[in-house]
C-alpha cells in the first residue's frame, strides 16, 4: 500500500525521548552513532538537564539517530517500506538513510560537521530566527524585503499556512518582526536558537558541507526522497549532494512537500521519530490528512494495521 514516512528535525528532541521503544535495534542504533562520533548519545538522553541535547552539534546527530532507530524498529516489527520519504530540514538526512541512499555512519558524522559549520558561519548573538503566526506567506516575504535594509532576513521555514519562520541577522530579524506585526501577524516571536538556519548567512557553512559531501558515497535511493529545497526527488547522486548543499541556505518548503504527497495520492503518512510536530503541521496543511505519529511501541503496532494493510 502507498504511504509516506516523514522524519522530524531539530525542535522535536527531549530527554528520554526513546523510552517508549523496547526493540533492541533502537539502543543498537544509538550505540552505532555514538561509536561513529566518539560521544555517548544515549547518555545525553538520560541526563538530568536538556542543555546538552539542545546544543545543535548534539541535537542534529541525536535526531538523526532517533529517526533511523524508529524506522529500524518499524522494519523489525514487519513494517513495509514506505513508498516515499521526506524529512524536515535535518530530517532529510534520516530520510536518505531510510532510502538506502546514505550510509548511517556517514550521515552521523556528516550532520555533526553540518552543525559545527552552521554554528561557525555566524557568531553567536549576531543571528536570529523568529516564528510568525497568522500572516500570509506573501506578506511575510514582503515584510522581510522591507526590513532587510542591506542585511539578511528571509522567510526560511514554510511549515504550514499561517506558520512561517524567518531568519537572518539579529537587527534585520527584529525589524522584520515589527514589520510582520504591522501587517497583522497574530504573533511574531524570537526563537531560542544559536544559528539562523536556511538563510543566505549559511552559505559559508554550505561550502564546508559541499567539501565534506565530495568524500561521501551516495547511492540511488530505493524509494523517492522529496528534498526540502525544491520539493523534488533525484536518483543522481550529484543532484542529491547539490540538494543537501542548497538546503542549508534555502527555505524548507514543508507545506508544498505535504501538499505534493497528497496530490500524488499519498494520503497515508506517518511521522517517523519522537514527538508529533510534523503530524501537527500536517493537520494545518491539509485537514483531510490523518498523520500517524510513531512515538513508541504502541504507535508502531497500531500503524502496522493501518499502513501495512
Amino acid at each position: 500500500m502507498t504511504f509516506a514516512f516523514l522524519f522530524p528535525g531539530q525542535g522535536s528532541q527531549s530527554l528520554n525521548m526513546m523510552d517508549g521503544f523496547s526493540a533492541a535495534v533502537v539502543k543498537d542504533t544509538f550505540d552505532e552513532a555514538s561509536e561513529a562520533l566518539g560521544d555517548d548519545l544515549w547518555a545525553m538522553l538520560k541526563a538530568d538537564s536538556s542543555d546538552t541535547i539542545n546544543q545543535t552539534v548534539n541535537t542534529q546527530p541525536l535526531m538523526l539517530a532517533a529517526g533511523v532507530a524508529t524506522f529500524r524498529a518499524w522494519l523489525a516489527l514487519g513494517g513495509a517500506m514506505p513508498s516515499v520519504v521526506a524529512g524536515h530540514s535535518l530530517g532529510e538526512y534520516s530520510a536518505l538513510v531510510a532510502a538506502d541512499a546514505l550510509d548511517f555512519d556517514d550521515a552521523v558524522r556528516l550532520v555533526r560537521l553540518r552543525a559545527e559549520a552552521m554554528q561557525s558561519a555566524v557568531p553567536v548573538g549576531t543571528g536570529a530566527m523568529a516564528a510568525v503566526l497568522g500572516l500570509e506567506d506573501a506578506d511575510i516575504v514582503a515584510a522581510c524585503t522591507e526590513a532587510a535594509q542591506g542585511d539578511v532576513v528571509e522567510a526560511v521555514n514554510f511549515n504550514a499556512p499561517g506558520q512561517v519562520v524567518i531568519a537572518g541577522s539579529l537587527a534585520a530579524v527584529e525589524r522584520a518582526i515589527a514589520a510582520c506585526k504591522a501587517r497583522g501577524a497574530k504573533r511574531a516571536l524570537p526563537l531560542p536558537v544559536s544559528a539562523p538556519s536556511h538563510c543566505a548567512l549559511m552559505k559559508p557553512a554550505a561550502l564546508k558541507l559541499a567539501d565534506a559531501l565530495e568524500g561521501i558515497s551516495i547511492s540511488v535511493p530505493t524509494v523517492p526522497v522529496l528534498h526540502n529545497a525544491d520539493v523534488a526527488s533525484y536518483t543522481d547522486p550529484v543532484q542529491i549532494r547539490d540538494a543537501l548543499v542548497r538546503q542549508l541556505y534555502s527555505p524548507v518548503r514543508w507545506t508544498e512537500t505535504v501538499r505534493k504527497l497528497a496530490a500524488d495520492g499519498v494520503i497515508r503518512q506517518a511521522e517517523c521519530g519522537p514527538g508529533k510536530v510534523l503530524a501537527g503541521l500536517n493537520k494545518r496543511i491539509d485537514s483531510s490528512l490523518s498523520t500517524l505519529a510513531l512515538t513508541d511501541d504502541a504507535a508502531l503496532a497500531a500503524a502496522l494495521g493501518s499502513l501495512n494493510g
Side-chain angles (χ1 to χ4, degrees), residues 9-297:
Q10 288 185 245
S12 291
Q13 73 275 6
S14 62
L15 293 174
N16 306 308
M17 63 185 177
M18 305 306 293
D19 282 5
F21 298 94
S22 62
V25 71
V26 170
K27 178 62 163 52
D28 290 345
T29 299
F30 273 81
D31 288 346
E32 185 180 344
S34 297
E35 185 174 350
L37 292 181
D39 274 341
D40 191 338
L41 298 182
W42 194 257
M44 292 181 191
L45 294 182
K46 301 299 180 182
D48 295 329
S49 167
S50 59
D51 290 349
T52 301
I53 69 169
N54 287 339
Q55 295 172 18
T56 189
V57 293
N58 297 321
T59 308
Q60 295 200 27
L62 280 166
M63 287 306 303
L64 169 70
V68 173
T70 304
F71 179 70
R72 289 175 173 177
W74 162 260
L75 294 180
L77 277 180
M81 275 292 292
S83 311
V84 57
V85 293
H88 188 284
S89 188
L90 171 77
E92 192 167 295
Y93 289 80
S94 304
L96 286 165
V97 173
D100 294 319
L102 192 56
D103 178 78
F104 179 54
D105 285 7
D106 285 340
V108 170
R109 288 186 285 264
L110 198 57
V111 299
R112 169 60 66 83
L113 178 144
R114 177 181 183 266
E116 292 170 344
M118 290 171 67
Q119 192 59 75
S120 65
V122 181
V124 175
T126 63
M129 300 182 76
V132 181
L133 307 179
L135 191 62
E136 293 293 326
D137 292 357
D139 289 327
I140 297 171
V141 172
C144 288
T145 300
E146 171 192 308
Q149 299 178 21
D151 292 330
V152 171
V153 59
E154 302 165 4
V156 297
N157 286 12
F158 293 94
N159 288 330
Q163 186 172 335
V164 173
V165 174
I166 63 175
S169 62
L170 178 59
V173 169
E174 290 174 343
R175 291 192 295 267
I177 288 174
C180 286
K181 289 179 177 177
R183 281 172 165 77
K186 291 180 180 178
R187 296 182 71 189
L189 61 160
L191 297 176
V193 297
S194 57
S197 305
H198 300 293
C199 71
L201 296 177
M202 288 293 107
K203 286 190 175 180
L207 291 175
K208 292 181 180 179
L209 181 64
D211 287 342
L213 279 164
E214 287 301 317
I216 298 294
S217 175
I218 294 181
S219 303
V220 176
T222 53
V223 296
V225 180
L226 281 182
H227 291 274
N228 289 181
D230 41 23
V231 197
S233 59
Y234 301 108
T235 56
D236 183 350
V238 173
Q239 290 178 300
I240 293 172
R241 287 189 182 90
D242 179 61
L244 290 175
V245 172
R246 286 186 291 115
Q247 187 219 56
L248 261 189
Y249 58 84
S250 302
V252 175
R253 296 162 59 181
W254 194 251
T255 300
E256 292 176 77
T257 297
V258 173
R259 285 177 174 166
K260 175 172 174 53
L261 289 170
D264 290 345
V266 188
I267 59 173
R268 298 194 304 168
Q269 302 178 19
E271 182 171 1
C272 189
K276 300 180 179 180
V277 171
L278 302 184
L281 294 179
N282 275 18
K283 289 181 182 179
R284 296 176 61 92
I285 294 168
D286 187 340
S287 60
S288 70
L289 294 175
S290 179
T291 305
L292 303 175
L294 307 182
T295 56
D296 53 28
D297 285 345

Side-chain angles (χ1 to χ4, degrees), residues 1-4 74 80-84 265-266 268 304-309:
M1 297 293 285
T2 301
F3 65 93
W74 162 260
M81 275 292 292
S83 311
V84 57
V266 188
R268 298 194 304 168
L304 281 175
S306 59
L307 297 181
N308 267 15

